């Protein structure tokens, strides 16, 4: 057990070092990274497509990278916004890591990009422990997921700079208790902002984009209490060095590791490697 814990800490330390490097590189070129986390089916893709379209209409240079275990469906949807989009197929890996992300951005991200949105793998456990070099970490939850979601996934909600509620157009139909949800968020992450959105109904249009632009332009983001208590520390300068521009290849002890004590799971399918869909392929598949 000690070996597993030590290995977990080493993996996270290396990831933090890579995230620190990536954050500095992006900042030097004037790009802010927005990391979006949620459960599957939260409406993350629909909301992001709407925000990307608004950014395009306002002349704001943005780009998006979306990660899934399989299919290119989300990238095809996001490409309808008309902004640069890249799909990463993780082949069983349940989250993105900073070194992997840096490799996929190398040579692809347009030079004038002000905001880079990362649609992480649909999962509120694995991605929560991995800093991607983000300026803004956003956790989304739909009104259909229950008011106790923050209590069930304290790491994800506890490290968020912003919480977004989606699908508010059906809140009444599913008896969503906004007051209770906000109280649960406040219990886990005191002081974090909660915004309400509906990609279909139009509520909160542009709020995510506005918050991301403000963070990019230097407005201080919320500092979660958990950031100071967790073993996962942003901008870590110690730990193993980061191999810039290369996909993640670290050995994770037969493919298993533990996330913040929550569970142990396969890290990557046998022989699996994250794959990238060529942006031209996505563009040609637009519906």
């Amino acid at each position: 057990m000690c070996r597993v814990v030590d290995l977990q800490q080493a993996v996270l330390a290396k990831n933090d070092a890579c995230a620190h490097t990536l954050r500095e590189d992006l900042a030097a070129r004037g790009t802010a990274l927005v990391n979006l986390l949620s459960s599957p089916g939260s409406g993350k893709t629909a909301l992001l497509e709407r925000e990307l379209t608004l950014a395009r209409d306002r002349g704001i240079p943005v780009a998006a990278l979306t990660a899934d275990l399989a299919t290119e469906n989300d990238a095809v949807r996001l490409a309808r916004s008309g902004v640069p989009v890249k799909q990463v197929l993780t082949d069983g890996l349940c989250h993105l890591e900073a070194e992997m992300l840096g490799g996929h951005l190398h040579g692809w991200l347009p030079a004038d990009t002000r905001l880079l949105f990362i649609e992480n793998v649909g999962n509120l456990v694995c991605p929560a422990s991995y800093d991607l070099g983000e300026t803004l970490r956003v956790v989304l939850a739909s009104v259909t997921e229950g008011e106790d979601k923050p209590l069930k996934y304290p790491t994800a909600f506890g490290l968020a700079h912003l919480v977004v509620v989606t699908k508010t157009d059906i809140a009444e139909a599913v008896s969503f208790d906004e007051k209770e949800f906000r109280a649960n968020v406040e219990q886990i992450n005191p002081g974090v902002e909660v915004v309400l959105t509906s990609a279909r109904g139009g509520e909160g249009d542009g709020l995510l984009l506005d918050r991301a632009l403000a963070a990019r332009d230097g407005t201080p983001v919320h500092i979660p209490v958990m950031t100071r208590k967790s073993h996962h520390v942003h901008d870590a300068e110690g730990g193993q060095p980061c191999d810039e521009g290369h996909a993640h290849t670290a050995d994770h002890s037969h493919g298993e590791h533990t996330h913040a004590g929550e569970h142990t799971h396969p890290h990557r399918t046998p022989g699996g490697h994250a794959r990238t869909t060529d942006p031209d392929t996505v563009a040609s598949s637009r519906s």
Side-chain angles (χ1 to χ4, degrees), residues 39-67:
S39 300
S42 68
K44 180 166 73 262
T45 306
L47 178 63
L48 182 54
E49 181 184 350
R50 178 62 182 154
E51 298 295 297
L52 294 176
T53 301
L54 288 173
R56 181 205 64 198
D57 292 345
R58 290 166 57 179
I60 301 167
V62 300
L65 181 147
T66 181

Side-chain angles (χ1 to χ4, degrees), residues 48-102:
L48 182 54
E49 181 184 350
R50 178 62 182 154
E51 298 295 297
L52 294 176
T53 301
L54 288 173
R56 181 205 64 198
D57 292 345
R58 290 166 57 179
I60 301 167
V62 300
L65 181 147
T66 181
D68 281 301
L69 276 68
T71 82
E72 300 165 5
N73 296 348
D74 287 353
V76 171
R77 292 173 59 187
L78 294 180
R80 296 186 301 208
S81 67
V83 309
V85 173
K86 189 172 192 176
Q87 175 80 58
V88 173
L89 300 180
T90 65
D91 286 341
L93 183 62
C94 62
H95 61 276
L96 288 172
E97 297 178 14
E99 186 176 9
M100 176 199 305
L101 177 61

Side-chain angles (χ1 to χ4, degrees), residues 210-275:
D210 290 343
R211 300 300 187 274
L213 284 170
R216 184 264 181 194
D217 292 338
T219 300
V221 299
H222 168 72
I223 302 176
V225 173
M226 189 177 290
T227 300
R228 299 190 291 270
K229 295 180 178 180
S230 173
H231 71 278
H232 174 71
V233 181
H234 293 285
D235 290 329
E237 296 188 22
Q240 303 177 43
C242 177
D243 299 323
E244 297 180 62
H246 295 83
H248 177 75
T249 56
D251 177 6
H252 291 292
S253 184
H254 306 294
E256 296 186 352
H257 65 284
T258 304
H259 286 286
E262 292 175 311
H263 74 300
T264 300
H265 64 93
H267 181 76
R268 194 187 294 271
T269 53
H273 300 279
R275 294 183 286 116

